[in-house]
Amino acid sequence: MTKLKTICFAVITAALAGCAATPRHYDDESSRALNLARAGGVYDQDLRDSPDGTRSYRKGLLVSALDLASLATSLDAPLRHLTGTQTLLFNATDIMMTPDNPSARPSLIGWMPESLAANEDDAYDHYVAVVDEAITQAAESMAITATKLTDVKTPEIDGYPLMLWSVTAERYGCADSNCIIAYNIQQPNHWKTPSYVIGGEAASYNIAANHPEKYSRLVFRQSGHEPTFPVDEFYRAVSAGMPPWIVMYFPPNTVIHDGEPLPYPVLYEQGQQLMFREPDHE
């Protein structure tokens, strides 16, 4: 089974590489959310548009929630050896989940203009700075306290560390490090940008979602009994603080709104939550 999955991934990757020789054209019969997701590497067919956007995840029609407990995590082994404060910070095993399909995991997708970085390493540093600034601005706009943790050693994915922020907001039940922001930026690749990416240039340093493990992501996690933190509002605020050439994708049941998980996938662009809704019904 593992060999078959490896072969299938190699075939899909080769196909995507061929298509990537020229930027993907906008599909007028698909939503903007789906166009951006597809361009960013969320290509599997579990994700699609639906008339009202609430039935846009094929597996979501069969189960009430993604089975987070069954999702593999590349950080499972390192997390088991953490103690004390570190254990508290890593008490959510789904932060860095790596299910097979890109549509089943949160992903940070970007097309940084080539003019903003001298090379791929410089682009990585710029992505980190952009995300940190967006988190800082989001915290200020929501009147919460967000602190980047620089004294906690975290696991790495392909040599790139997991970045952690601790959130304090008593009115939302965030205290004692039970609310955290975790993100990871993978090595950007020199790529071409679709013309419909706002603020983009023809050439870019791209972070995409199609690799099984080496994909970038940003996740807010609150542990405890009932989730009370307005995660949707936070993601909107972070998105608003990012350049327009960065979008965030989230699968069903990973975004909390009014205390309940959204049972459908969403994508954030420029502070707006986009649904995977058929254009004729938008």
Side-chain angles (χ1 to χ4, degrees):
M1 179 63 71
T2 300
K3 183 177 180 181
L4 177 61
K5 288 170 61 178
T6 301
I7 293 174
C8 290
F9 172 72
V11 171
I12 293 172
T13 301
L16 288 175
C19 294
T22 57
R24 180 184 289 267
H25 294 292
Y26 194 90
D27 179 8
D28 291 327
E29 296 183 357
S30 299
S31 66
R32 179 165 181 81
L34 190 59
N35 272 283
L36 288 168
R38 293 281 189 256
V42 185
Y43 51 76
D44 62 273
Q45 295 304 305
D46 285 330
L47 178 70
R48 71 281 183 88
D49 285 336
S50 63
D52 62 358
T54 64
R55 294 178 294 166
S56 299
Y57 193 77
R58 182 170 299 170
K59 290 182 179 179
L61 299 176
L62 304 176
V63 294
S64 60
L66 290 175
D67 185 3
L68 297 180
S70 68
L71 296 177
T73 170
S74 58
L75 301 181
D76 182 58
L79 298 186
R80 287 199 299 266
H81 297 288
L82 298 179
T83 59
T85 302
Q86 292 178 325
T87 301
L88 191 62
L89 294 172
F90 284 106
N91 55 8
T93 58
D94 61 320
I95 286 176
M96 303 298 279
M97 61 186 183
T98 56
D100 294 335
N101 293 340
S103 66
R105 60 204 188 195
S107 293
L108 192 65
I109 301 168
W111 295 268
M112 178 184 295
E114 182 184 47
S115 62
L116 296 182
N119 50 49
E120 292 179 346
D121 291 336
D122 189 30
Y124 170 84
D125 292 337
H126 194 75
Y127 267 112
V128 170
V130 163
V131 174
D132 282 349
E133 178 60 24
I135 292 173
T136 299
Q137 291 183 18
E140 291 176 354
S141 69
M142 295 179 65
I144 62 177
T145 300
T147 305
K148 189 172 186 180
L149 304 179
T150 58
D151 58 347
V152 176
K153 183 174 177 57
T154 63
E156 296 182 345
I157 298 178
D158 195 39
Y160 295 94
L162 175 67
M163 306 289 191
L164 291 176
W165 289 67
S166 176
V167 174
T168 302
E170 292 187 5
R171 67 185 182 280
Y172 298 131
C174 292
D176 300 324
S177 299
N178 69 314
C179 292
I180 58 173
I181 306 160
Y183 77 86
N184 173 265
I185 303 294
Q186 283 296 299
Q187 179 74 37
N189 295 309
H190 201 247
W191 212 244
K192 297 182 179 181
T193 309
S195 60
Y196 50 89
V197 170
I198 300 172
E201 294 178 356
S204 61
Y205 290 103
N206 174 235
I207 51 175
N210 55 296
H211 194 279
E213 296 177 356
K214 301 173 186 178
Y215 62 95
S216 303
R217 66 214 86 175
L218 183 150
V219 176
F220 178 94
R221 179 67 179 182
Q222 179 178 20
S223 61
H225 300 292
E226 296 295 331
T228 55
F229 190 87
V231 179
D232 175 42
E233 179 184 346
F234 174 73
Y235 287 154
R236 290 174 190 260
V238 171
S239 175
M242 288 180 174
W245 37 262
I246 295 182
V247 299
M248 299 189 296
Y249 166 78
F250 292 91
N253 301 296
T254 56
V255 176
I256 305 299
H257 178 74
D258 290 338
E260 298 292 337
L262 297 179
Y264 48 83
V266 293
L267 184 142
Y268 293 89
E269 180 191 31
Q270 290 195 289
Q272 300 297 314
Q273 183 202 90
L274 306 183
M275 295 178 67
F276 293 83
R277 181 185 294 119
E278 294 173 358
D280 291 344
H281 293 81
E282 289 184 333

